[in-house]
């Protein structure tokens, strides 16, 4: 029954240290500020023109702390990255280069024909840009 009730991902929450720093970084990727901070956490919201919404949870204590899911030897459970689908990975690589955003991994050519690359935001959260494989003929 739940398979018929869930229609899509509504938003993704990302813990950050500074609203201004996160807002500026995600603006380079096309996200627009919606509102915030609001609520007890507090939270600020950005949205991409394609409908993807990211909630910044503004309670990270240390701007220089490692990402516990990615940067420590022990492997903890949790979401390791957010994958954003792109129509043209090469064009996205050019955008990242022009914005001064370094890659943290890739580009990678996956065996099934997809391609991807990885970056870190300023709070060391990992983002993947994923180009699906071409349609089968």
């Amino acid at each position: 029954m739940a398979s018929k009730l869930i229609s899509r991902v509504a938003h993704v929450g990302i813990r950050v240290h500074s609203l201004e720093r996160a807002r500026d970084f995600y603006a380079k990727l096309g996200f627009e500020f919606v509102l915030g901070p609001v609520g007890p956490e507090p939270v600020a919201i950005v949205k991409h023109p394609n409908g993807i919404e990211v909630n910044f949870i503004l309670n990270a204590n240390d701007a220089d702390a490692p990402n516990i899911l990615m940067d420590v030897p022990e492997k903890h459970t949790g979401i390791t990255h957010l994958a954003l689908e792109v129509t043209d990975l090469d064009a996205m690589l050019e955008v990242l280069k022009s914005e001064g955003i370094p890659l943290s991994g890739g580009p990678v050519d996956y065996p099934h024909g997809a391609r991807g690359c990885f970056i870190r935001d300023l709070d060391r959260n990992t983002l993947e840009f994923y180009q699906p494989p071409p349609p089968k003929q």
Side-chain angles (χ1 to χ4, degrees):
M1 183 62 166
S3 63
K4 296 179 182 179
L5 297 174
I6 298 171
S7 60
R8 65 184 193 95
V9 174
H11 66 266
V12 175
I14 298 177
R15 180 166 284 119
V16 300
H17 182 265
S18 161
L19 172 56
E20 295 75 24
R21 189 169 80 158
R23 184 177 170 177
D24 290 347
F25 181 87
Y26 282 82
K28 293 177 182 180
L29 303 176
F31 286 84
E32 301 167 355
F33 181 72
V34 175
L35 66 92
V38 296
E41 288 294 336
V43 172
I45 300 170
V46 294
K47 191 171 187 175
H48 195 274
N50 68 11
I52 295 171
E53 184 177 295
V54 175
N55 290 3
F56 297 137
I57 295 91
L58 304 168
N59 61 5
N61 293 328
D62 184 353
D64 298 318
N67 178 329
I68 193 164
L69 294 176
M70 301 296 288
D71 300 331
V72 298
E74 303 84 25
K75 299 302 175 199
H76 299 269
T77 58
I79 297 172
T80 61
H81 69 283
L82 170 63
L84 301 171
E85 186 174 306
V86 296
T87 56
D88 183 339
L89 185 65
D90 292 325
M92 190 69 220
L93 290 166
E94 287 300 316
V95 168
L96 296 172
K97 183 177 179 181
S98 71
E99 292 292 349
I101 300 172
L103 297 182
S104 63
V108 177
D109 293 319
Y110 299 111
H112 63 289
R115 299 176 65 219
C117 71
F118 297 84
I119 65 169
R120 294 288 191 99
D121 71 11
L122 300 176
D123 291 286
R124 287 163 306 289
N125 296 300
T126 304
L127 304 175
E128 177 183 7
F129 296 101
Y130 176 84
Q131 180 180 325
K136 293 184 179 182
Q137 302 295 340

